[in-house]
Coordinates of all heavy atoms in Angstrom, one line a residue:
Y14 N 0.8 -1.2 0.0 CA 0.0 0.0 0.0 C 0.9 1.2 0.0 O 1.9 1.3 0.8 CB -0.9 0.0 1.2 CG -1.8 1.3 1.3 CD1 -2.8 1.5 0.3 CD2 -1.7 2.1 2.4 CE1 -3.5 2.6 0.4 CE2 -2.5 3.2 2.5 CZ -3.4 3.5 1.5 OH -4.2 4.6 1.6
S15 N 0.5 2.2 -0.8 CA 1.3 3.4 -0.9 C 0.3 4.6 -0.3 O -0.6 5.0 -0.9 CB 1.6 3.9 -2.3 OG 2.1 5.2 -2.4
P16 N 0.6 5.0 1.0 CA -0.2 6.1 1.6 C -0.1 7.3 0.8 O -1.0 8.2 0.8 CB 0.4 6.2 3.0 CG 1.2 5.0 3.2 CD 1.6 4.5 1.9
E17 N 0.9 7.5 -0.1 CA 1.0 8.8 -0.8 C 0.1 8.9 -2.0 O -0.7 9.8 -2.1 CB 2.5 8.9 -1.3 CG 3.5 9.2 -0.2 CD 3.8 8.0 0.6 OE1 3.7 6.9 0.1 OE2 4.3 8.2 1.7
N18 N 0.1 7.8 -2.8 CA -0.8 7.8 -4.0 C -2.1 7.0 -3.8 O -2.9 6.8 -4.7 CB -0.1 7.4 -5.2 CG 0.4 6.0 -5.2 OD1 -0.1 5.1 -4.5 ND2 1.5 5.8 -6.0
K19 N -2.2 6.3 -2.6 CA -3.4 5.6 -2.3 C -3.7 4.3 -3.1 O -4.8 3.8 -3.2 CB -4.7 6.4 -2.3 CG -4.6 7.7 -1.5 CD -4.6 7.4 0.0 CE -4.6 8.7 0.8 NZ -4.5 8.5 2.3
E20 N -2.6 3.8 -3.7 CA -2.8 2.6 -4.5 C -2.3 1.3 -3.8 O -1.4 1.4 -3.0 CB -1.9 2.7 -5.8 CG -2.5 3.8 -6.8 CD -1.6 3.9 -8.1 OE1 -0.5 3.4 -8.1 OE2 -2.1 4.5 -9.0
I21 N -3.0 0.2 -4.1 CA -2.6 -1.0 -3.6 C -2.0 -1.8 -4.7 O -2.8 -2.2 -5.7 CB -3.7 -1.8 -2.9 CG1 -4.2 -1.0 -1.7 CG2 -3.3 -3.2 -2.5 CD1 -5.4 -1.7 -1.0
S22 N -0.7 -2.1 -4.7 CA -0.1 -2.9 -5.8 C 0.1 -4.3 -5.3 O 0.2 -4.6 -4.2 CB 1.2 -2.3 -6.2 OG 2.1 -2.2 -5.1
V23 N 0.2 -5.2 -6.3 CA 0.4 -6.7 -6.1 C 1.6 -7.1 -6.8 O 1.8 -6.8 -8.0 CB -0.9 -7.4 -6.5 CG1 -0.7 -8.9 -6.0 CG2 -2.2 -6.8 -5.9
T24 N 2.5 -7.8 -6.1 CA 3.7 -8.4 -6.8 C 3.6 -9.9 -6.8 O 3.2 -10.5 -5.8 CB 5.0 -7.9 -6.2 OG1 5.0 -8.3 -4.8 CG2 5.0 -6.4 -6.2
F25 N 4.1 -10.5 -7.8 CA 4.1 -12.0 -8.0 C 5.5 -12.5 -8.2 O 6.3 -11.8 -8.8 CB 3.2 -12.4 -9.2 CG 1.8 -11.9 -9.1 CD1 1.4 -10.7 -9.7 CD2 0.8 -12.7 -8.6 CE1 0.1 -10.3 -9.6 CE2 -0.5 -12.3 -8.5 CZ -0.8 -11.1 -9.0
D26 N 5.8 -13.7 -7.7 CA 7.0 -14.3 -7.9 C 7.1 -15.0 -9.3 O 8.2 -15.2 -9.9 CB 7.3 -15.3 -6.8 CG 7.7 -14.8 -5.5 OD1 8.0 -13.6 -5.5 OD2 7.5 -15.5 -4.5
T27 N 6.0 -15.4 -9.8 CA 5.9 -16.0 -11.1 C 4.7 -15.4 -11.8 O 3.9 -14.7 -11.3 CB 5.7 -17.5 -10.9 OG1 4.6 -17.8 -10.1 CG2 6.9 -18.2 -10.3
D28 N 4.6 -15.8 -13.1 CA 3.5 -15.4 -14.0 C 2.1 -15.7 -13.3 O 1.8 -16.9 -13.0 CB 3.6 -16.1 -15.3 CG 2.5 -15.6 -16.3 OD1 1.6 -14.9 -16.0 OD2 2.7 -15.9 -17.5
P29 N 1.3 -14.7 -13.0 CA 0.0 -15.0 -12.3 C -1.0 -15.8 -13.2 O -2.0 -16.3 -12.6 CB -0.5 -13.6 -12.0 CG 0.2 -12.7 -12.9 CD 1.6 -13.3 -13.2
A30 N -0.7 -15.9 -14.4 CA -1.5 -16.8 -15.3 C -1.2 -18.2 -15.1 O -2.0 -19.1 -15.5 CB -1.4 -16.4 -16.8
Y31 N 0.0 -18.5 -14.6 CA 0.4 -19.9 -14.4 C 0.2 -20.8 -15.6 O -0.5 -21.8 -15.6 CB -0.2 -20.5 -13.2 CG 0.0 -19.7 -12.0 CD1 -1.1 -18.9 -11.4 CD2 1.2 -19.7 -11.3 CE1 -0.9 -18.1 -10.3 CE2 1.4 -18.8 -10.2 CZ 0.4 -18.1 -9.7 OH 0.6 -17.3 -8.6
P32 N 0.9 -20.5 -16.7 CA 0.7 -21.2 -18.0 C 1.4 -22.6 -17.8 O 2.4 -22.7 -17.0 CB 1.4 -20.4 -19.0 CG 2.4 -19.6 -18.3 CD 1.7 -19.3 -17.0
P33 N 1.1 -23.6 -18.5 CA 1.8 -24.9 -18.5 C 3.2 -24.8 -19.0 O 3.5 -23.8 -19.8 CB 1.0 -25.8 -19.5 CG -0.4 -25.1 -19.6 CD -0.1 -23.7 -19.4
P34 N 4.2 -25.5 -18.5 CA 5.6 -25.3 -18.8 C 5.8 -25.4 -20.2 O 6.6 -24.6 -20.8 CB 6.2 -26.5 -18.0 CG 5.3 -26.8 -16.9 CD 3.9 -26.6 -17.4
N35 N 5.2 -26.3 -21.0 CA 5.4 -26.4 -22.4 C 4.8 -25.3 -23.3 O 5.1 -25.1 -24.4 CB 5.0 -27.7 -22.9 CG 3.5 -28.0 -22.7 OD1 2.8 -27.1 -22.1 ND2 3.0 -29.1 -23.2
A36 N 3.9 -24.5 -22.6 CA 3.2 -23.4 -23.4 C 4.1 -22.2 -23.7 O 3.9 -21.5 -24.6 CB 2.0 -22.9 -22.6
S37 N 5.2 -22.1 -22.9 CA 6.0 -20.9 -23.0 C 7.4 -21.2 -23.6 O 8.2 -20.3 -23.8 CB 6.2 -20.2 -21.7 OG 6.8 -21.2 -20.7
Q38 N 7.7 -22.4 -24.0 CA 9.0 -22.8 -24.4 C 9.4 -22.1 -25.7 O 10.6 -21.6 -25.9 CB 9.1 -24.3 -24.7 CG 9.1 -25.1 -23.4 CD 9.1 -26.6 -23.6 OE1 9.1 -27.0 -24.7 NE2 9.3 -27.3 -22.5
N39 N 8.5 -21.9 -26.6 CA 8.7 -21.2 -27.9 C 8.2 -19.8 -28.0 O 8.2 -19.2 -29.0 CB 8.1 -22.0 -29.1 CG 8.7 -23.5 -29.1 OD1 9.9 -23.6 -28.9 ND2 7.8 -24.4 -29.5
R40 N 7.8 -19.3 -26.8 CA 7.3 -17.9 -26.8 C 7.8 -17.2 -25.6 O 7.1 -16.7 -24.7 CB 5.7 -18.0 -26.7 CG 5.1 -18.7 -27.8 CD 3.6 -18.9 -27.6 NE 2.9 -17.5 -27.6 CZ 1.6 -17.3 -27.2 NH1 0.9 -18.3 -26.8 NH2 1.2 -16.1 -27.3
A41 N 9.1 -17.1 -25.5 CA 9.8 -16.5 -24.4 C 9.4 -15.1 -24.1 O 9.1 -14.7 -23.0 CB 11.3 -16.7 -24.5
S42 N 9.3 -14.3 -25.2 CA 9.0 -12.9 -25.0 C 7.6 -12.7 -24.5 O 7.3 -11.9 -23.6 CB 9.2 -12.1 -26.3 OG 8.3 -12.6 -27.3
V43 N 6.7 -13.5 -25.0 CA 5.2 -13.4 -24.5 C 5.2 -13.9 -23.1 O 4.5 -13.4 -22.2 CB 4.3 -14.3 -25.4 CG1 3.0 -14.3 -24.8 CG2 4.3 -13.7 -26.8
A44 N 6.0 -15.0 -22.8 CA 5.9 -15.6 -21.4 C 6.5 -14.7 -20.4 O 6.1 -14.7 -19.2 CB 6.7 -16.9 -21.4
E45 N 7.4 -13.8 -20.8 CA 8.0 -12.9 -19.8 C 7.2 -11.5 -19.8 O 7.7 -10.6 -19.0 CB 9.4 -12.6 -20.2 CG 10.3 -13.8 -20.1 CD 10.3 -14.3 -18.6 OE1 10.7 -13.5 -17.7 OE2 10.1 -15.5 -18.4
A46 N 6.2 -11.3 -20.5 CA 5.5 -10.0 -20.6 C 5.0 -9.6 -19.2 O 4.9 -8.4 -19.0 CB 4.4 -10.1 -21.6
W47 N 4.6 -10.6 -18.4 CA 4.0 -10.2 -17.1 C 4.9 -9.4 -16.2 O 4.5 -8.6 -15.3 CB 3.5 -11.5 -16.4 CG 4.6 -12.4 -15.9 CD1 5.3 -13.3 -16.6 CD2 5.3 -12.4 -14.7 NE1 6.3 -13.9 -15.9 CE2 6.3 -13.4 -14.6 CE3 5.1 -11.6 -13.4 CZ2 7.1 -13.6 -13.5 CZ3 5.9 -11.9 -12.3 CH2 6.8 -12.9 -12.4
R48 N 6.3 -9.6 -16.5 CA 7.3 -9.0 -15.6 C 7.2 -7.4 -15.8 O 7.7 -6.7 -15.0 CB 8.6 -9.5 -15.9 CG 8.8 -11.0 -15.5 CD 10.2 -11.5 -15.7 NE 10.4 -12.9 -15.5 CZ 10.6 -13.4 -14.3 NH1 10.6 -12.6 -13.2 NH2 10.7 -14.7 -14.1
Y49 N 6.8 -7.0 -17.0 CA 6.9 -5.6 -17.4 C 5.6 -4.8 -17.0 O 5.4 -3.7 -17.4 CB 7.2 -5.4 -18.8 CG 8.5 -6.2 -19.1 CD1 8.5 -7.4 -19.7 CD2 9.7 -5.5 -18.8 CE1 9.6 -8.1 -20.0 CE2 10.9 -6.2 -19.1 CZ 10.9 -7.5 -19.7 OH 12.1 -8.1 -20.0
K50 N 4.6 -5.5 -16.3 CA 3.4 -4.9 -15.9 C 3.4 -4.5 -14.4 O 4.1 -5.2 -13.6 CB 2.2 -5.9 -16.1 CG 2.0 -6.2 -17.6 CD 0.8 -7.1 -17.8 CE 0.5 -7.4 -19.3 NZ -0.6 -8.4 -19.3
R51 N 2.7 -3.5 -14.1 CA 2.4 -3.2 -12.7 C 0.9 -3.7 -12.4 O 0.0 -3.5 -13.2 CB 2.4 -1.7 -12.5 CG 3.8 -1.1 -12.6 CD 3.7 0.4 -12.4 NE 2.9 1.1 -13.3 CZ 1.7 1.9 -13.0 NH1 1.4 1.9 -11.8 NH2 1.1 2.4 -14.0
Y52 N 0.8 -4.4 -11.3 CA -0.5 -5.0 -11.0 C -1.1 -4.2 -9.8 O -0.5 -4.0 -8.8 CB -0.3 -6.5 -10.5 CG 0.1 -7.3 -11.7 CD1 1.4 -7.5 -12.0 CD2 -0.9 -7.9 -12.5 CE1 1.8 -8.3 -13.0 CE2 -0.5 -8.7 -13.6 CZ 0.9 -8.9 -13.9 OH 1.2 -9.7 -14.9

C-alpha cells in the first residue's frame, strides 16, 4: 500500500496466469510479458 498515492499494488514471484511449462518454451518474449506490468 502506498499512503502517498493511495494505490494497492500486487507483486508476484511467477506469472500470475500460471501457464503450463510447455506453453512458453517457444514464446519466451510473451511468457515474460507479465514482468513488465504493474499490478
